[in-house]
Amino acid sequence: MKNLKYYLAAAFLSPASYGFAQTAADALRFSQTSPAGTARSLGIGGATSAVGADFGGLVTNPAGLGLFQRSEISFSPGLGISNTTSQAFGTSTTDSRNNLQVSSLGVVFSARRPDSDQADWRGGTFALGVNRLSNFNQNFRYSATPRLEQDILQRLSEGQGNILDDLAYEAYLTERDAQGTYIPADYENTGQLTQRETIQRSGGQTQFDFGYANNYRDKIYIGGAIGIVSTRYDVVSTLTATDPAAPSGNPGTAFGSLTLRENTQTRGTGVNARLGVIYRPVDVLRLGASIQSPTYSQVVETYSASLNTTYDSPITVDGSTLSSGDANYPAEDLAYTITSPFRATGGVAVVVGKNGFFSADAEYVNYGQARLGYDDSNSTAVSPDDLGPANDNIRQQYQSTVNLRAGGELRLDIFRVRAGYARYGSPYKVSSSTSTNTRNFYTAGLGLRQNNFFLDVAGVYSSGQQVYTPYELASPQNTPRVSVDDNRFTTTITAGFQF
């Protein structure tokens, strides 16, 4: 390792060293949404495109603002509980995470004409506020004994030319010669490692909405909205690998353990626009349709990492005897853009007098149309390398799908009883992924309406599956994949006043 400093300088200055290159998974993560809005919207499974008169419906169809009879203000805090079960290397591990969030906060100003006024346009409604679109809060972990050809030392021996390889070299885990990177002989004959990793994810996407709608003869409602999307996504992962046989059980190896810590913080701001219409041919029936433009977001990702190693028998480096090694990659910013796909939604609502209603929505979205791009406006952050392969992977891996939502409300004097279901289809082409990623949402809720005050509560239970890859190996068959089943339960309370 006489040329240690030279190699490190070359590695950290080289664009190929960036370990936080953008992938198709980044585009998908920030393109997927969940049922959103007030407790009333959530209680009916998010099927709001033809219902109207609820602030949460602004997310799906801004024309619903035209059905407001009075102005109102509402606030919707919530609690989310995530439970995960991870399957890796033949073992199962569970974890959980709780988080508080604001599901919705909004104010609606309605200027409806009196019934005695015979004007065709019955009055406009303006609304502004925020709605939570997605929740990234999640913990999962695994602990297992991978095969020798699957463990982290196998990955380091392959020398893929990114940050992890630079850290391993600096921490004396690897050497380099004319043939490339290799594990020194001192670490050969290492037994099967005990490998553990914890992943902590937090954040979400919140949309700041500004919408307006008008009402034509109480038959046609037309509305539009602009959404400003704020993205916050943080990931902290800690991977440890230990040779349980050393030192006495396997004296032929110097390797004792390693701990790899990675921290990624993502911040983004995007914008989209929506147009919608609701048609009421008869009092009992409402038909809704809306479109949403692609969401264009500017994103900055900050990445840092460290690697700490211990040796069961000291090693000699440039005349020095060492029992451990340490390496750090300081925080660095990477700027890029994400264009999330266009959405189109259609829905129907059947209103049974004053007894309640039933509604259903179908939303079309093509995840294969998402794109990663360069952000030349950010002079303080580096730019990604060639994004062509990542965009090719988006087209090859993802497909169009239809998200279905259905729900209903039963009115019992001043009380409301609600239930709903939503199924968000898989974005994956069957041939390109082992994860279906189909998500199911089961919802229920209660409400109270009295004078100018209303109070609603909703519970949403969701389930889904994802696949996590700790690192890529030269052999796709040996690349480890962790299957994660995620079950979430979210409670939301909405309190509001009409004025």
Side-chain angles (χ1 to χ4, degrees), residues 185-202:
D186 289 343
Y187 307 146
E188 293 179 355
N189 302 317
T190 300
Q192 282 189 279
L193 303 180
T194 299
Q195 192 163 302
R196 301 180 177 90
E197 187 174 11
T198 61
I199 297 91
Q200 298 174 309
R201 296 172 173 170
S202 61

Side-chain angles (χ1 to χ4, degrees), residues 51-138:
V51 176
D54 186 89
F55 179 76
L58 183 57
V59 173
T60 55
N61 189 351
L65 295 174
L67 281 90
F68 272 92
Q69 302 290 316
R70 302 172 63 183
S71 302
E72 70 175 45
I73 184 171
S74 63
F75 175 58
S76 307
L79 171 66
I81 303 172
S82 169
N83 295 295
T84 58
T85 301
S86 304
Q87 302 283 343
F89 307 112
T91 64
S92 177
T93 311
T94 61
D95 208 341
S96 63
R97 182 184 180 93
N98 303 335
N99 72 283
L100 295 172
Q101 64 183 41
V102 175
S103 179
S104 173
L105 171 63
V107 59
V108 177
F109 300 98
S110 179
R112 180 179 172 84
R113 296 178 183 273
D115 293 339
S116 59
D117 191 326
Q118 299 301 310
D120 289 338
W121 292 98
R122 307 302 302 153
T125 302
F126 174 74
L128 72 160
V130 299
N131 285 293
R132 182 86 159 184
L133 300 182
S134 56
N135 184 349
F136 299 138
N137 290 280
Q138 180 192 63

Side-chain angles (χ1 to χ4, degrees), residues 14 18 23 39 86 94 118 146 159 162 184 223 233 271 303 306 313 326 330 368 385 396 398 401 408 416:
S14 169
Y18 296 129
T23 66
S86 304
T94 61
Q118 299 301 310
N162 59 24
Y233 177 59
V271 63
Y303 175 86
S306 67
S313 58
D326 299 286
D385 292 332
Q396 294 166 5
Y398 305 140
T401 189
R416 307 288 187 269

Side-chain angles (χ1 to χ4, degrees), residues 202-265:
S202 61
Q205 287 185 301
T206 301
Q207 184 166 273
F208 296 81
D209 285 307
F210 305 87
Y212 176 81
N214 213 317
N215 168 3
Y216 182 76
R217 293 186 175 182
D218 291 324
K219 290 289 186 181
I220 301 176
Y221 308 84
I222 301 173
I226 294 176
I228 299 175
V229 181
S230 174
T231 299
R232 183 179 68 86
Y233 177 59
D234 297 335
V235 183
V236 178
S237 64
T238 304
L239 186 153
T240 62
T242 305
D243 183 5
S248 58
N250 192 9
T253 177
F255 176 78
S257 66
L258 67 80
T259 301
L260 171 66
R261 296 181 179 88
E262 296 180 282
N263 191 329
T264 304
Q265 296 181 334

Side-chain angles (χ1 to χ4, degrees), residues 48 109 173 205 210 237 240 274 310 334 337 342 379 391 397 420 437 474 493:
T48 58
F109 300 98
L173 272 174
Q205 287 185 301
F210 305 87
S237 64
T240 62
R274 273 152 286 146
T310 63
L334 186 71
T337 66
F342 159 90
S379 60
N391 286 323
Q397 295 181 19
N437 206 34
I493 297 176

